[in-house]
């Protein structure tokens, strides 16, 4: 349920109303969103017994009261009309006017590899370094990642280049290792690992939540709701393709998810055309499409030697290819009134 207040409602009156609702309905939490135009009180929890008329009776401050039909509340744009902008420690903003590019190898493989890729993608204008330390692999015999050592190497690359880092966590037990990682990624395979999502909800760190392999947009938003309901409002959604009957591409990249999410939620939305297609030559056109569709950022796999990559070599760009793509993406961002 949302309570839209009249403009210029004094803060004390807003607080009085919140206190009144909270004391009357235990189990209902109030989230106040003070926008430039309008202040909204979002009620979450079991609101079935909340009497709308008694709230509307505060005629001097209440403009309207509406029930929110969607099962996701805190991620809902109705609760928070303005875009959420997530600011990293170095000041970089995700969800603002800049299109943010996260680039790097699928897996961290060695110190030389990650430092070389980090240095090159930075020179091409990438804003964030990606690299998997814990790898979710279909085969238990495939490279599983350097694990804790991989995180250490990412931190070295961060120190060497100044780039913030994003890396995937696969279980709650690994969370302490991510203390100095700027953004924690939840991979497609863990999108509905609800216990993990609850743990991440206790953190204050940004969480990059990838779309599950066969998840609907609503299921994805409900997973984001788990993180936000736990108190962590810093969630970034990442479209990375879904399973369809098409076999030409590794996944079917759902570009329409971008404007749909922008309509439904205030959270930043990025696109991963590397996992979304699995094919290097599709990365550029899909990255361009993502920007035109309104994405706030991109995640692109780049490897210094894709032929020898320990994972996802077929979809990883060479640094020089990435460099060329960045130049053309900048023009697309500009046309959309954004920077890159
Ligand atoms: C990754 O980013 O390397 C990854 C494993 O992605 P996804 O969870 O989208 O498959
Ligand atoms: Mn990968």
């Amino acid at each position: 349920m949302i309570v839209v207040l009249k403009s210029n409602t004094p803060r004390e009156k807003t607080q009085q109303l919140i206190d009144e609702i909270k004391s009357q309905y235990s189990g209902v939490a109030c989230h106040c969103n003070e926008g430039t135009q309008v202040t909204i009180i979002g009620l979450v929890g079991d609101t079935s017994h909340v009497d709308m008329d008694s709230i509307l009776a505060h005629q001097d401050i209440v403009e309207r009261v509406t029930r929110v039909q969607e099962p996701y509340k805190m991620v809902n744009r109705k609760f928070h009309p303005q875009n959420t902008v997530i600011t990293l420690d170095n000041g970089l903003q995700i969800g603002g006017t800049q299109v943010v590019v996260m680039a790097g190898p699928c897996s961290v493989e060695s110190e030389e590899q990650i430092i070389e890729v980090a240095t090159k993608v930075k020179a091409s204008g990438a804003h964030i370094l990606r690299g998997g330390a814990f790898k979710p692999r279909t085969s238990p015999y495939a490279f599983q990642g350097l694990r804790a050592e991989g995180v250490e190497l990412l931190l070295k690359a961060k120190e060497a280049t100044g780039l913030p880092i994003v890396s995937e966590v696969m279980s709650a037990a690994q969370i302490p290792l991510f203390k100095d990682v700027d953004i924690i990624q939840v991979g497609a395979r863990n999108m509905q690992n609800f216990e993990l999502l609850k743990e991440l909800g206790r953190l204050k760190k940004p969480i990059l939540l990838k779309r599950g392999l066969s998840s609907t947009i609503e299921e994805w938003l409900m997973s984001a709701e788990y993180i936000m309901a736990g108190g962590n409002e810093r969630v970034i959604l990442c479209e990375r393709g879904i399973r369809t009957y098409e076999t030409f591409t590794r996944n079917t990249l759902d570009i329409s998810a971008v404007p749909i999410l922008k309509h439904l939620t205030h959270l930043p939305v990025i696109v991963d055309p590397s996992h979304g297609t699995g094919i290097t030559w599709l990365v550029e056109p899909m990255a361009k499409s993502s920007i035109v569709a309104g994405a706030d950022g991109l995640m692109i796999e780049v490897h210094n030697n894709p032929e020898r990559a320990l994972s996802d070599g077929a979809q990883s760009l060479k640094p020089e290819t990435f460099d060329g793509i960045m130049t053309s993406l900048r023009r697309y961002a500009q046309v959309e009134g954004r920077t890159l």
Side-chain angles (χ1 to χ4, degrees), residues 79-205:
F79 270 56
H80 191 285
Q82 71 278 33
N83 288 334
T84 282
V85 179
I86 294 172
T87 307
L88 303 187
D89 291 347
N90 72 343
L92 182 72
Q93 294 193 322
I94 304 169
T97 54
Q98 189 171 29
V99 175
V100 171
V101 178
M102 309 177 182
C106 179
S107 302
V108 180
E109 298 171 5
S110 68
E111 181 167 344
E112 302 70 48
Q113 175 240 21
I114 195 66
I115 302 271
E116 182 181 338
V117 177
T119 309
K120 289 188 170 162
V121 297
K122 185 186 178 182
S124 302
H127 309 96
I128 297 173
L129 174 67
R130 67 145 284 147
F134 295 94
K135 295 305 303 176
R137 304 304 300 278
T138 303
S139 166
Y141 310 116
F143 176 59
Q144 302 287 306
L146 295 180
R147 304 175 72 83
E149 189 197 342
V151 178
E152 286 305 315
L153 296 180
L154 271 175
L155 291 170
K156 280 194 180 170
K158 172 179 174 172
E159 201 176 288
T161 58
L163 288 177
I165 52 177
V166 55
S167 197
E168 177 171 351
V169 73
M170 285 176 60
S171 76
Q174 295 160 359
I175 291 176
L177 294 168
F178 287 71
K179 188 170 68 66
D180 299 315
V181 172
D182 298 271
I183 303 174
I184 300 182
Q185 176 174 322
V186 176
R189 290 153 192 84
N190 268 314
M191 190 204 84
Q192 286 193 319
N193 181 340
F194 301 117
E195 291 301 318
L196 177 61
L197 300 178
K198 284 185 213 168
E199 288 300 323
L200 296 170
R202 288 187 229 281
L203 309 181
K204 290 283 161 269
K205 222 178 246 309

Side-chain angles (χ1 to χ4, degrees), residues 183-233:
I183 303 174
I184 300 182
Q185 176 174 322
V186 176
R189 290 153 192 84
N190 268 314
M191 190 204 84
Q192 286 193 319
N193 181 340
F194 301 117
E195 291 301 318
L196 177 61
L197 300 178
K198 284 185 213 168
E199 288 300 323
L200 296 170
R202 288 187 229 281
L203 309 181
K204 290 283 161 269
K205 222 178 246 309
I207 308 298
L208 180 82
L209 180 65
K210 287 193 147 195
R211 183 178 187 173
L213 302 170
S214 54
S215 299
T216 63
I217 287 175
E218 187 166 294
E219 286 164 343
W220 189 8
L221 289 172
M222 290 309 288
S223 290
E225 185 84 11
Y226 261 94
I227 301 169
M228 287 194 74
N232 186 353
E233 307 197 344

Side-chain angles (χ1 to χ4, degrees), residues 106 130 135 250 275 301 311-312 315:
C106 179
R130 67 145 284 147
K135 295 305 303 176
R250 182 179 181 185
H275 292 89
E301 284 189 342
S311 60
D312 287 351
Q315 67 193 33

